[in-house]
Amino acid sequence: MAIDEWLLEQHRLEAMPPCLRFYNWNPVAISLGYHQRHYPDHWNALRWQGQRVDVVQRPSGGRAVLHQGDLTYALIASGFNGRRRDVYTHLCQFLIRGWQSLGVNLQLGLAQGGYQRSANCFGTATAADLVMDDGYKVIGSAQLYRDRAILQHGSMRLSPAPHLVEAVFGTPIIPPQVLSAICPADIMTALATAAQQVFVIEWIHQPLSPQEQQQALAWAGRHSKR
């Protein structure tokens, strides 16, 4: 996520165009929302497949997300006006359309009470999240604004290990098989195509160079909150 924040800063400075990226986590980690200061002590001792589960801080808000069996997306763009809820609604359209092309219907969640009292981002849905018809929350998203530039990123919960989710949040989960059956490469292709259609743009596939990755990490080190 340090790269996400660096890309946002580059876009704010008009040094980089809008971009969309996807990534996984290695090792498994729990990311905390920017303002989330307290979490269960046992998270510091969690291990998964012989490795420590990292606990890191996100540059965006929201509650804790377990990054295992998920796919993270990050969209960096600018030029959107209006209420943040309306911006969320607009930016989430590429997620809705992309998943629909894969045979999965998603819709925006409804604002619910108690979200800030829960440590778990996926414990409840908000108007910024995307859920299936049965209420299963597939995507939890959060935003970070820098001037008129926006970073919206989120976790797409595809095949989380039920016992690890229970170990972290105390509640087991059984993810729908339809999600784990879809190849992540197909998800990325579908969402990139949908984003082109929704935002009327054309993506250029261009991985970050080793130098850019180093710049991103160095920038994050200088601006780290923790």
Side-chain angles (χ1 to χ4, degrees), residues 37-75:
R37 282 288 169 268
H38 304 288
Y39 60 89
D41 290 338
H42 77 275
W43 287 7
N44 293 314
L46 287 169
R47 299 186 69 82
W48 172 249
Q49 296 182 343
Q51 290 185 298
R52 180 178 178 273
V53 175
D54 287 339
V55 179
V56 301
Q57 197 100 37
R58 290 195 306 274
S60 58
R63 312 305 290 167
V65 175
L66 172 62
H67 298 283
Q68 179 276 323
D70 73 329
L71 177 65
T72 300
Y73 81 90
L75 175 67

PDB file of all heavy atoms in Angstrom, residues 37-75:
ATOM      1  N   ARG A  37      -6.613   2.684  16.144  1.00  0.00           N
ATOM      2  CA  ARG A  37      -5.489   2.640  17.055  1.00  0.00           C
ATOM      3  C   ARG A  37      -5.463   1.383  17.929  1.00  0.00           C
ATOM      4  O   ARG A  37      -4.427   0.984  18.424  1.00  0.00           O
ATOM      5  CB  ARG A  37      -5.503   3.879  17.960  1.00  0.00           C
ATOM      6  CG  ARG A  37      -4.979   5.117  17.254  1.00  0.00           C
ATOM      7  CD  ARG A  37      -3.462   4.978  17.068  1.00  0.00           C
ATOM      8  NE  ARG A  37      -2.955   6.001  16.170  1.00  0.00           N
ATOM      9  CZ  ARG A  37      -2.828   5.832  14.870  1.00  0.00           C
ATOM     10  NH1 ARG A  37      -3.195   4.705  14.299  1.00  0.00           N
ATOM     11  NH2 ARG A  37      -2.345   6.786  14.108  1.00  0.00           N
ATOM     12  N   HIS A  38      -6.600   0.774  18.162  1.00  0.00           N
ATOM     13  CA  HIS A  38      -6.674  -0.343  19.084  1.00  0.00           C
ATOM     14  C   HIS A  38      -7.123  -1.607  18.346  1.00  0.00           C
ATOM     15  O   HIS A  38      -8.008  -1.558  17.492  1.00  0.00           O
ATOM     16  CB  HIS A  38      -7.644  -0.029  20.228  1.00  0.00           C
ATOM     17  CG  HIS A  38      -7.304   1.229  20.973  1.00  0.00           C
ATOM     18  ND1 HIS A  38      -6.221   1.317  21.812  1.00  0.00           N
ATOM     19  CD2 HIS A  38      -7.892   2.453  20.970  1.00  0.00           C
ATOM     20  CE1 HIS A  38      -6.163   2.536  22.324  1.00  0.00           C
ATOM     21  NE2 HIS A  38      -7.163   3.247  21.827  1.00  0.00           N
ATOM     22  N   TYR A  39      -6.504  -2.716  18.683  1.00  0.00           N
ATOM     23  CA  TYR A  39      -6.872  -4.007  18.109  1.00  0.00           C
ATOM     24  C   TYR A  39      -6.486  -5.093  19.109  1.00  0.00           C
ATOM     25  O   TYR A  39      -5.680  -4.857  20.027  1.00  0.00           O
ATOM     26  CB  TYR A  39      -6.195  -4.216  16.754  1.00  0.00           C
ATOM     27  CG  TYR A  39      -4.689  -4.191  16.776  1.00  0.00           C
ATOM     28  CD1 TYR A  39      -3.937  -5.349  17.002  1.00  0.00           C
ATOM     29  CD2 TYR A  39      -3.989  -2.994  16.580  1.00  0.00           C
ATOM     30  CE1 TYR A  39      -2.555  -5.319  17.026  1.00  0.00           C
ATOM     31  CE2 TYR A  39      -2.602  -2.969  16.604  1.00  0.00           C
ATOM     32  CZ  TYR A  39      -1.893  -4.125  16.822  1.00  0.00           C
ATOM     33  OH  TYR A  39      -0.521  -4.108  16.849  1.00  0.00           O
ATOM     34  N   PRO A  40      -7.046  -6.288  18.983  1.00  0.00           N
ATOM     35  CA  PRO A  40      -6.784  -7.360  19.958  1.00  0.00           C
ATOM     36  C   PRO A  40      -5.298  -7.699  20.051  1.00  0.00           C
ATOM     37  O   PRO A  40      -4.599  -7.794  19.036  1.00  0.00           O
ATOM     38  CB  PRO A  40      -7.598  -8.539  19.413  1.00  0.00           C
ATOM     39  CG  PRO A  40      -8.693  -7.902  18.612  1.00  0.00           C
ATOM     40  CD  PRO A  40      -8.073  -6.681  17.993  1.00  0.00           C
ATOM     41  N   ASP A  41      -4.820  -7.918  21.262  1.00  0.00           N
ATOM     42  CA  ASP A  41      -3.405  -8.215  21.480  1.00  0.00           C
ATOM     43  C   ASP A  41      -2.962  -9.482  20.766  1.00  0.00           C
ATOM     44  O   ASP A  41      -1.809  -9.580  20.321  1.00  0.00           O
ATOM     45  CB  ASP A  41      -3.120  -8.346  22.982  1.00  0.00           C
ATOM     46  CG  ASP A  41      -3.215  -7.011  23.719  1.00  0.00           C
ATOM     47  OD1 ASP A  41      -3.077  -5.957  23.056  1.00  0.00           O
ATOM     48  OD2 ASP A  41      -3.428  -7.038  24.939  1.00  0.00           O
ATOM     49  N   HIS A  42      -3.871 -10.456  20.647  1.00  0.00           N
ATOM     50  CA  HIS A  42      -3.459 -11.738  20.075  1.00  0.00           C
ATOM     51  C   HIS A  42      -3.120 -11.635  18.590  1.00  0.00           C
ATOM     52  O   HIS A  42      -2.487 -12.530  18.035  1.00  0.00           O
ATOM     53  CB  HIS A  42      -4.535 -12.818  20.306  1.00  0.00           C
ATOM     54  CG  HIS A  42      -5.714 -12.719  19.385  1.00  0.00           C
ATOM     55  ND1 HIS A  42      -6.804 -11.900  19.620  1.00  0.00           N
ATOM     56  CD2 HIS A  42      -5.975 -13.356  18.208  1.00  0.00           C
ATOM     57  CE1 HIS A  42      -7.682 -12.038  18.648  1.00  0.00           C
ATOM     58  NE2 HIS A  42      -7.217 -12.907  17.774  1.00  0.00           N
ATOM     59  N   TRP A  43      -3.486 -10.527  17.942  1.00  0.00           N
ATOM     60  CA  TRP A  43      -3.123 -10.360  16.529  1.00  0.00           C
ATOM     61  C   TRP A  43      -1.606 -10.311  16.359  1.00  0.00           C
ATOM     62  O   TRP A  43      -1.092 -10.698  15.313  1.00  0.00           O
ATOM     63  CB  TRP A  43      -3.744  -9.083  15.970  1.00  0.00           C
ATOM     64  CG  TRP A  43      -5.226  -9.187  15.747  1.00  0.00           C
ATOM     65  CD1 TRP A  43      -6.048 -10.213  16.110  1.00  0.00           C
ATOM     66  CD2 TRP A  43      -6.068  -8.216  15.115  1.00  0.00           C
ATOM     67  NE1 TRP A  43      -7.349  -9.944  15.753  1.00  0.00           N
ATOM     68  CE2 TRP A  43      -7.388  -8.726  15.149  1.00  0.00           C
ATOM     69  CE3 TRP A  43      -5.834  -6.977  14.561  1.00  0.00           C
ATOM     70  CZ2 TRP A  43      -8.475  -8.031  14.620  1.00  0.00           C
ATOM     71  CZ3 TRP A  43      -6.913  -6.270  14.027  1.00  0.00           C
ATOM     72  CH2 TRP A  43      -8.215  -6.795  14.048  1.00  0.00           C
ATOM     73  N   ASN A  44      -0.899  -9.844  17.356  1.00  0.00           N
ATOM     74  CA  ASN A  44       0.559  -9.735  17.256  1.00  0.00           C
ATOM     75  C   ASN A  44       1.255 -11.093  17.282  1.00  0.00           C
ATOM     76  O   ASN A  44       2.445 -11.185  16.953  1.00  0.00           O
ATOM     77  CB  ASN A  44       1.102  -8.862  18.390  1.00  0.00           C
ATOM     78  CG  ASN A  44       0.668  -7.413  18.257  1.00  0.00           C
ATOM     79  OD1 ASN A  44       0.736  -6.834  17.180  1.00  0.00           O
ATOM     80  ND2 ASN A  44       0.216  -6.828  19.355  1.00  0.00           N
ATOM     81  N   ALA A  45       0.534 -12.139  17.685  1.00  0.00           N
ATOM     82  CA  ALA A  45       1.131 -13.469  17.778  1.00  0.00           C
ATOM     83  C   ALA A  45       0.593 -14.429  16.714  1.00  0.00           C
ATOM     84  O   ALA A  45       0.947 -15.612  16.711  1.00  0.00           O
ATOM     85  CB  ALA A  45       0.884 -14.051  19.170  1.00  0.00           C
ATOM     86  N   LEU A  46      -0.226 -13.959  15.815  1.00  0.00           N
ATOM     87  CA  LEU A  46      -0.828 -14.816  14.799  1.00  0.00           C
ATOM     88  C   LEU A  46       0.214 -15.290  13.790  1.00  0.00           C
ATOM     89  O   LEU A  46       1.112 -14.532  13.397  1.00  0.00           O
ATOM     90  CB  LEU A  46      -1.935 -14.069  14.058  1.00  0.00           C
ATOM     91  CG  LEU A  46      -3.237 -13.825  14.828  1.00  0.00           C
ATOM     92  CD1 LEU A  46      -4.128 -12.855  14.058  1.00  0.00           C
ATOM     93  CD2 LEU A  46      -3.975 -15.142  15.073  1.00  0.00           C
ATOM     94  N   ARG A  47       0.071 -16.525  13.372  1.00  0.00           N
ATOM     95  CA  ARG A  47       0.932 -17.084  12.338  1.00  0.00           C
ATOM     96  C   ARG A  47       0.063 -17.823  11.325  1.00  0.00           C
ATOM     97  O   ARG A  47      -1.002 -18.345  11.651  1.00  0.00           O
ATOM     98  CB  ARG A  47       1.975 -18.034  12.935  1.00  0.00           C
ATOM     99  CG  ARG A  47       2.910 -17.361  13.930  1.00  0.00           C
ATOM    100  CD  ARG A  47       4.010 -18.295  14.383  1.00  0.00           C
ATOM    101  NE  ARG A  47       4.968 -18.584  13.318  1.00  0.00           N
ATOM    102  CZ  ARG A  47       5.980 -17.790  12.991  1.00  0.00           C
ATOM    103  NH1 ARG A  47       6.181 -16.657  13.635  1.00  0.00           N
ATOM    104  NH2 ARG A  47       6.823 -18.128  12.023  1.00  0.00           N
ATOM    105  N   TRP A  48       0.538 -17.855  10.081  1.00  0.00           N
ATOM    106  CA  TRP A  48      -0.177 -18.542   9.013  1.00  0.00           C
ATOM    107  C   TRP A  48       0.844 -19.228   8.121  1.00  0.00           C
ATOM    108  O   TRP A  48       1.742 -18.577   7.586  1.00  0.00           O
ATOM    109  CB  TRP A  48      -1.022 -17.547   8.215  1.00  0.00           C
ATOM    110  CG  TRP A  48      -1.663 -18.115   6.981  1.00  0.00           C
ATOM    111  CD1 TRP A  48      -1.354 -17.829   5.683  1.00  0.00           C
ATOM    112  CD2 TRP A  48      -2.723 -19.069   6.918  1.00  0.00           C
ATOM    113  NE1 TRP A  48      -2.144 -18.538   4.824  1.00  0.00           N
ATOM    114  CE2 TRP A  48      -2.999 -19.319   5.554  1.00  0.00           C
ATOM    115  CE3 TRP A  48      -3.468 -19.742   7.890  1.00  0.00           C
ATOM    116  CZ2 TRP A  48      -3.988 -20.202   5.137  1.00  0.00           C
ATOM    117  CZ3 TRP A  48      -4.458 -20.626   7.463  1.00  0.00           C
ATOM    118  CH2 TRP A  48      -4.706 -20.841   6.111  1.00  0.00           C
ATOM    119  N   GLN A  49       0.705 -20.546   8.018  1.00  0.00           N
ATOM    120  CA  GLN A  49       1.612 -21.360   7.200  1.00  0.00           C
ATOM    121  C   GLN A  49       3.074 -21.083   7.545  1.00  0.00           C
ATOM    122  O   GLN A  49       3.934 -20.937   6.678  1.00  0.00           O
ATOM    123  CB  GLN A  49       1.344 -21.113   5.711  1.00  0.00           C
ATOM    124  CG  GLN A  49      -0.055 -21.559   5.285  1.00  0.00           C
ATOM    125  CD  GLN A  49      -0.314 -21.372   3.803  1.00  0.00           C
ATOM    126  OE1 GLN A  49       0.387 -20.638   3.117  1.00  0.00           O
ATOM    127  NE2 GLN A  49      -1.322 -22.052   3.294  1.00  0.00           N
ATOM    128  N   GLY A  50       3.337 -21.031   8.846  1.00  0.00           N
ATOM    129  CA  GLY A  50       4.706 -20.890   9.330  1.00  0.00           C
ATOM    130  C   GLY A  50       5.250 -19.483   9.341  1.00  0.00           C
ATOM    131  O   GLY A  50       6.387 -19.257   9.767  1.00  0.00           O
ATOM    132  N   GLN A  51       4.470 -18.513   8.885  1.00  0.00           N
ATOM    133  CA  GLN A  51       4.928 -17.128   8.857  1.00  0.00           C
ATOM    134  C   GLN A  51       4.081 -16.252   9.774  1.00  0.00           C
ATOM    135  O   GLN A  51       2.887 -16.496   9.971  1.00  0.00           O
ATOM    136  CB  GLN A  51       4.862 -16.555   7.429  1.00  0.00           C
ATOM    137  CG  GLN A  51       5.884 -17.128   6.469  1.00  0.00           C
ATOM    138  CD  GLN A  51       5.823 -16.429   5.124  1.00  0.00           C
ATOM    139  OE1 GLN A  51       4.808 -16.470   4.419  1.00  0.00           O
ATOM    140  NE2 GLN A  51       6.913 -15.773   4.747  1.00  0.00           N
ATOM    141  N   ARG A  52       4.712 -15.231  10.306  1.00  0.00           N
ATOM    142  CA  ARG A  52       4.000 -14.265  11.137  1.00  0.00           C
ATOM    143  C   ARG A  52       3.011 -13.472  10.304  1.00  0.00           C
ATOM    144  O   ARG A  52       3.292 -13.091   9.170  1.00  0.00           O
ATOM    145  CB  ARG A  52       5.008 -13.313  11.784  1.00  0.00           C
ATOM    146  CG  ARG A  52       4.394 -12.251  12.686  1.00  0.00           C
ATOM    147  CD  ARG A  52       5.483 -11.399  13.325  1.00  0.00           C
ATOM    148  NE  ARG A  52       4.924 -10.343  14.144  1.00  0.00           N
ATOM    149  CZ  ARG A  52       4.576  -9.137  13.683  1.00  0.00           C
ATOM    150  NH1 ARG A  52       4.757  -8.858  12.400  1.00  0.00           N
ATOM    151  NH2 ARG A  52       4.077  -8.222  14.498  1.00  0.00           N
ATOM    152  N   VAL A  53       1.830 -13.220  10.866  1.00  0.00           N
ATOM    153  CA  VAL A  53       0.846 -12.364  10.213  1.00  0.00           C
ATOM    154  C   VAL A  53       1.171 -10.915  10.571  1.00  0.00           C
ATOM    155  O   VAL A  53       1.113 -10.528  11.741  1.00  0.00           O
ATOM    156  CB  VAL A  53      -0.588 -12.723  10.658  1.00  0.00           C
ATOM    157  CG1 VAL A  53      -1.594 -11.741  10.059  1.00  0.00           C
ATOM    158  CG2 VAL A  53      -0.933 -14.152  10.242  1.00  0.00           C
ATOM    159  N   ASP A  54       1.551 -10.133   9.584  1.00  0.00           N
ATOM    160  CA  ASP A  54       1.899  -8.735   9.828  1.00  0.00           C
ATOM    161  C   ASP A  54       0.658  -7.914  10.181  1.00  0.00           C
ATOM    162  O   ASP A  54      -0.456  -8.213   9.714  1.00  0.00           O
ATOM    163  CB  ASP A  54       2.552  -8.118   8.583  1.00  0.00           C
ATOM    164  CG  ASP A  54       3.966  -8.625   8.354  1.00  0.00           C
ATOM    165  OD1 ASP A  54       4.587  -9.112   9.310  1.00  0.00           O
ATOM    166  OD2 ASP A  54       4.442  -8.541   7.208  1.00  0.00           O
ATOM    167  N   VAL A  55       0.847  -6.894  10.982  1.00  0.00           N
ATOM    168  CA  VAL A  55      -0.200  -5.902  11.260  1.00  0.00           C
ATOM    169  C   VAL A  55       0.346  -4.565  10.785  1.00  0.00           C
ATOM    170  O   VAL A  55       1.355  -4.078  11.301  1.00  0.00           O
ATOM    171  CB  VAL A  55      -0.562  -5.847  12.753  1.00  0.00           C
ATOM    172  CG1 VAL A  55      -1.642  -4.786  12.995  1.00  0.00           C
ATOM    173  CG2 VAL A  55      -1.040  -7.208  13.250  1.00  0.00           C
ATOM    174  N   VAL A  56      -0.297  -3.972   9.786  1.00  0.00           N
ATOM    175  CA  VAL A  56       0.190  -2.740   9.170  1.00  0.00           C
ATOM    176  C   VAL A  56      -0.917  -1.693   9.166  1.00  0.00           C
ATOM    177  O   VAL A  56      -2.093  -2.015   9.353  1.00  0.00           O
ATOM    178  CB  VAL A  56       0.686  -2.997   7.724  1.00  0.00           C
ATOM    179  CG1 VAL A  56       1.801  -4.022   7.723  1.00  0.00           C
ATOM    180  CG2 VAL A  56      -0.464  -3.467   6.832  1.00  0.00           C
ATOM    181  N   GLN A  57      -0.537  -0.444   8.934  1.00  0.00           N
ATOM    182  CA  GLN A  57      -1.495   0.660   8.906  1.00  0.00           C
ATOM    183  C   GLN A  57      -1.723   1.109   7.471  1.00  0.00           C
ATOM    184  O   GLN A  57      -0.779   1.305   6.711  1.00  0.00           O
ATOM    185  CB  GLN A  57      -0.977   1.846   9.726  1.00  0.00           C
ATOM    186  CG  GLN A  57      -2.050   2.866  10.088  1.00  0.00           C
ATOM    187  CD  GLN A  57      -2.544   2.677  11.505  1.00  0.00           C
ATOM    188  OE1 GLN A  57      -1.768   2.358  12.384  1.00  0.00           O
ATOM    189  NE2 GLN A  57      -3.834   2.888  11.732  1.00  0.00           N
ATOM    190  N   ARG A  58      -2.992   1.254   7.114  1.00  0.00           N
ATOM    191  CA  ARG A  58      -3.324   1.769   5.785  1.00  0.00           C
ATOM    192  C   ARG A  58      -3.292   3.291   5.774  1.00  0.00           C
ATOM    193  O   ARG A  58      -3.507   3.924   6.806  1.00  0.00           O
ATOM    194  CB  ARG A  58      -4.744   1.330   5.370  1.00  0.00           C
ATOM    195  CG  ARG A  58      -4.907  -0.122   5.084  1.00  0.00           C
ATOM    196  CD  ARG A  58      -6.221  -0.366   4.329  1.00  0.00           C
ATOM    197  NE  ARG A  58      -7.382   0.184   4.999  1.00  0.00           N
ATOM    198  CZ  ARG A  58      -8.070  -0.442   5.948  1.00  0.00           C
ATOM    199  NH1 ARG A  58      -7.698  -1.646   6.349  1.00  0.00           N
ATOM    200  NH2 ARG A  58      -9.129   0.121   6.505  1.00  0.00           N
ATOM    201  N   PRO A  59      -3.087   3.882   4.598  1.00  0.00           N
ATOM    202  CA  PRO A  59      -3.190   5.349   4.506  1.00  0.00           C
ATOM    203  C   PRO A  59      -4.646   5.812   4.444  1.00  0.00           C
ATOM    204  O   PRO A  59      -4.909   7.000   4.591  1.00  0.00           O
ATOM    205  CB  PRO A  59      -2.454   5.670   3.201  1.00  0.00           C
ATOM    206  CG  PRO A  59      -2.608   4.441   2.368  1.00  0.00           C
ATOM    207  CD  PRO A  59      -2.572   3.296   3.349  1.00  0.00           C
ATOM    208  N   SER A  60      -5.571   4.894   4.220  1.00  0.00           N
ATOM    209  CA  SER A  60      -6.992   5.237   4.118  1.00  0.00           C
ATOM    210  C   SER A  60      -7.736   4.793   5.368  1.00  0.00           C
ATOM    211  O   SER A  60      -7.190   4.099   6.231  1.00  0.00           O
ATOM    212  CB  SER A  60      -7.605   4.565   2.886  1.00  0.00           C
ATOM    213  OG  SER A  60      -7.447   3.157   2.962  1.00  0.00           O
ATOM    214  N   GLY A  61      -8.993   5.175   5.469  1.00  0.00           N
ATOM    215  CA  GLY A  61      -9.783   4.885   6.657  1.00  0.00           C
ATOM    216  C   GLY A  61     -10.374   3.485   6.668  1.00  0.00           C
ATOM    217  O   GLY A  61      -9.937   2.593   5.954  1.00  0.00           O
ATOM    218  N   GLY A  62     -11.406   3.334   7.500  1.00  0.00           N
ATOM    219  CA  GLY A  62     -12.069   2.048   7.608  1.00  0.00           C
ATOM    220  C   GLY A  62     -11.546   1.222   8.769  1.00  0.00           C
ATOM    221  O   GLY A  62     -10.783   1.700   9.611  1.00  0.00           O
ATOM    222  N   ARG A  63     -11.967  -0.051   8.787  1.00  0.00           N
ATOM    223  CA  ARG A  63     -11.593  -0.957   9.858  1.00  0.00           C
ATOM    224  C   ARG A  63     -10.627  -2.020   9.343  1.00  0.00           C
ATOM    225  O   ARG A  63     -10.236  -2.001   8.178  1.00  0.00           O
ATOM    226  CB  ARG A  63     -12.847  -1.607  10.459  1.00  0.00           C
ATOM    227  CG  ARG A  63     -13.960  -0.622  10.787  1.00  0.00           C
ATOM    228  CD  ARG A  63     -13.497   0.494  11.708  1.00  0.00           C
ATOM    229  NE  ARG A  63     -13.225   0.013  13.059  1.00  0.00           N
ATOM    230  CZ  ARG A  63     -12.569   0.724  13.986  1.00  0.00           C
ATOM    231  NH1 ARG A  63     -12.094   1.917  13.687  1.00  0.00           N
ATOM    232  NH2 ARG A  63     -12.365   0.221  15.191  1.00  0.00           N
ATOM    233  N   ALA A  64     -10.262  -2.961  10.189  1.00  0.00           N
ATOM    234  CA  ALA A  64      -9.220  -3.936   9.864  1.00  0.00           C
ATOM    235  C   ALA A  64      -9.660  -4.898   8.759  1.00  0.00           C
ATOM    236  O   ALA A  64     -10.803  -5.342   8.711  1.00  0.00           O
ATOM    237  CB  ALA A  64      -8.843  -4.724  11.113  1.00  0.00           C
ATOM    238  N   VAL A  65      -8.705  -5.226   7.886  1.00  0.00           N
ATOM    239  CA  VAL A  65      -8.930  -6.162   6.791  1.00  0.00           C
ATOM    240  C   VAL A  65      -7.869  -7.254   6.863  1.00  0.00           C
ATOM    241  O   VAL A  65      -6.675  -6.959   6.975  1.00  0.00           O
ATOM    242  CB  VAL A  65      -8.850  -5.457   5.423  1.00  0.00           C
ATOM    243  CG1 VAL A  65      -8.967  -6.485   4.289  1.00  0.00           C
ATOM    244  CG2 VAL A  65      -9.944  -4.409   5.292  1.00  0.00           C
ATOM    245  N   LEU A  66      -8.314  -8.504   6.783  1.00  0.00           N
ATOM    246  CA  LEU A  66      -7.398  -9.634   6.706  1.00  0.00           C
ATOM    247  C   LEU A  66      -7.067  -9.886   5.242  1.00  0.00           C
ATOM    248  O   LEU A  66      -7.957 -10.183   4.448  1.00  0.00           O
ATOM    249  CB  LEU A  66      -8.027 -10.883   7.332  1.00  0.00           C
ATOM    250  CG  LEU A  66      -7.255 -12.197   7.157  1.00  0.00           C
ATOM    251  CD1 LEU A  66      -5.884 -12.119   7.827  1.00  0.00           C
ATOM    252  CD2 LEU A  66      -8.069 -13.367   7.695  1.00  0.00           C
ATOM    253  N   HIS A  67      -5.803  -9.774   4.886  1.00  0.00           N
ATOM    254  CA  HIS A  67      -5.382  -9.962   3.499  1.00  0.00           C
ATOM    255  C   HIS A  67      -4.831 -11.376   3.321  1.00  0.00           C
ATOM    256  O   HIS A  67      -3.634 -11.621   3.353  1.00  0.00           O
ATOM    257  CB  HIS A  67      -4.339  -8.909   3.114  1.00  0.00           C
ATOM    258  CG  HIS A  67      -4.862  -7.509   3.178  1.00  0.00           C
ATOM    259  ND1 HIS A  67      -5.686  -6.985   2.210  1.00  0.00           N
ATOM    260  CD2 HIS A  67      -4.702  -6.544   4.112  1.00  0.00           C
ATOM    261  CE1 HIS A  67      -6.008  -5.743   2.527  1.00  0.00           C
ATOM    262  NE2 HIS A  67      -5.420  -5.456   3.671  1.00  0.00           N
ATOM    263  N   GLN A  68      -5.748 -12.290   3.170  1.00  0.00           N
ATOM    264  CA  GLN A  68      -5.439 -13.684   2.872  1.00  0.00           C
ATOM    265  C   GLN A  68      -6.609 -14.215   2.049  1.00  0.00           C
ATOM    266  O   GLN A  68      -7.768 -14.043   2.423  1.00  0.00           O
ATOM    267  CB  GLN A  68      -5.269 -14.502   4.150  1.00  0.00           C
ATOM    268  CG  GLN A  68      -4.967 -15.985   3.942  1.00  0.00           C
ATOM    269  CD  GLN A  68      -6.226 -16.820   3.726  1.00  0.00           C
ATOM    270  OE1 GLN A  68      -7.266 -16.586   4.335  1.00  0.00           O
ATOM    271  NE2 GLN A  68      -6.132 -17.801   2.824  1.00  0.00           N
ATOM    272  N   GLY A  69      -6.300 -14.835   0.911  1.00  0.00           N
ATOM    273  CA  GLY A  69      -7.378 -15.289   0.049  1.00  0.00           C
ATOM    274  C   GLY A  69      -8.138 -14.154  -0.582  1.00  0.00           C
ATOM    275  O   GLY A  69      -9.298 -14.308  -0.971  1.00  0.00           O
ATOM    276  N   ASP A  70      -7.491 -13.000  -0.695  1.00  0.00           N
ATOM    277  CA  ASP A  70      -8.153 -11.844  -1.296  1.00  0.00           C
ATOM    278  C   ASP A  70      -7.308 -11.305  -2.443  1.00  0.00           C
ATOM    279  O   ASP A  70      -6.177 -11.730  -2.672  1.00  0.00           O
ATOM    280  CB  ASP A  70      -8.401 -10.748  -0.263  1.00  0.00           C
ATOM    281  CG  ASP A  70      -7.125 -10.015   0.147  1.00  0.00           C
ATOM    282  OD1 ASP A  70      -6.054 -10.648   0.127  1.00  0.00           O
ATOM    283  OD2 ASP A  70      -7.202  -8.815   0.488  1.00  0.00           O
ATOM    284  N   LEU A  71      -7.863 -10.355  -3.165  1.00  0.00           N
ATOM    285  CA  LEU A  71      -7.170  -9.621  -4.214  1.00  0.00           C
ATOM    286  C   LEU A  71      -7.404  -8.147  -3.945  1.00  0.00           C
ATOM    287  O   LEU A  71      -8.554  -7.712  -3.804  1.00  0.00           O
ATOM    288  CB  LEU A  71      -7.701 -10.011  -5.590  1.00  0.00           C
ATOM    289  CG  LEU A  71      -7.111  -9.275  -6.807  1.00  0.00           C
ATOM    290  CD1 LEU A  71      -5.627  -9.609  -6.964  1.00  0.00           C
ATOM    291  CD2 LEU A  71      -7.881  -9.641  -8.082  1.00  0.00           C
ATOM    292  N   THR A  72      -6.333  -7.386  -3.847  1.00  0.00           N
ATOM    293  CA  THR A  72      -6.450  -5.955  -3.561  1.00  0.00           C
ATOM    294  C   THR A  72      -6.404  -5.155  -4.858  1.00  0.00           C
ATOM    295  O   THR A  72      -5.630  -5.459  -5.759  1.00  0.00           O
ATOM    296  CB  THR A  72      -5.308  -5.502  -2.635  1.00  0.00           C
ATOM    297  OG1 THR A  72      -5.383  -6.229  -1.410  1.00  0.00           O
ATOM    298  CG2 THR A  72      -5.413  -4.004  -2.322  1.00  0.00           C
ATOM    299  N   TYR A  73      -7.262  -4.138  -4.953  1.00  0.00           N
ATOM    300  CA  TYR A  73      -7.215  -3.228  -6.094  1.00  0.00           C
ATOM    301  C   TYR A  73      -6.919  -1.824  -5.585  1.00  0.00           C
ATOM    302  O   TYR A  73      -7.189  -1.486  -4.429  1.00  0.00           O
ATOM    303  CB  TYR A  73      -8.538  -3.237  -6.869  1.00  0.00           C
ATOM    304  CG  TYR A  73      -9.619  -2.369  -6.254  1.00  0.00           C
ATOM    305  CD1 TYR A  73      -9.769  -1.028  -6.615  1.00  0.00           C
ATOM    306  CD2 TYR A  73     -10.482  -2.884  -5.285  1.00  0.00           C
ATOM    307  CE1 TYR A  73     -10.746  -0.226  -6.037  1.00  0.00           C
ATOM    308  CE2 TYR A  73     -11.463  -2.096  -4.714  1.00  0.00           C
ATOM    309  CZ  TYR A  73     -11.596  -0.768  -5.087  1.00  0.00           C
ATOM    310  OH  TYR A  73     -12.551   0.034  -4.504  1.00  0.00           O
ATOM    311  N   ALA A  74      -6.339  -0.998  -6.436  1.00  0.00           N
ATOM    312  CA  ALA A  74      -6.097   0.414  -6.114  1.00  0.00           C
ATOM    313  C   ALA A  74      -6.361   1.238  -7.364  1.00  0.00           C
ATOM    314  O   ALA A  74      -5.776   0.976  -8.418  1.00  0.00           O
ATOM    315  CB  ALA A  74      -4.676   0.626  -5.622  1.00  0.00           C
ATOM    316  N   LEU A  75      -7.237   2.213  -7.248  1.00  0.00           N
ATOM    317  CA  LEU A  75      -7.561   3.123  -8.344  1.00  0.00           C
ATOM    318  C   LEU A  75      -7.150   4.522  -7.934  1.00  0.00           C
ATOM    319  O   LEU A  75      -7.571   5.018  -6.882  1.00  0.00           O
ATOM    320  CB  LEU A  75      -9.062   3.075  -8.643  1.00  0.00           C
ATOM    321  CG  LEU A  75      -9.586   4.062  -9.690  1.00  0.00           C
ATOM    322  CD1 LEU A  75      -9.048   3.717 -11.078  1.00  0.00           C
ATOM    323  CD2 LEU A  75     -11.120   4.081  -9.711  1.00  0.00           C
TER     324      LEU A  75
END
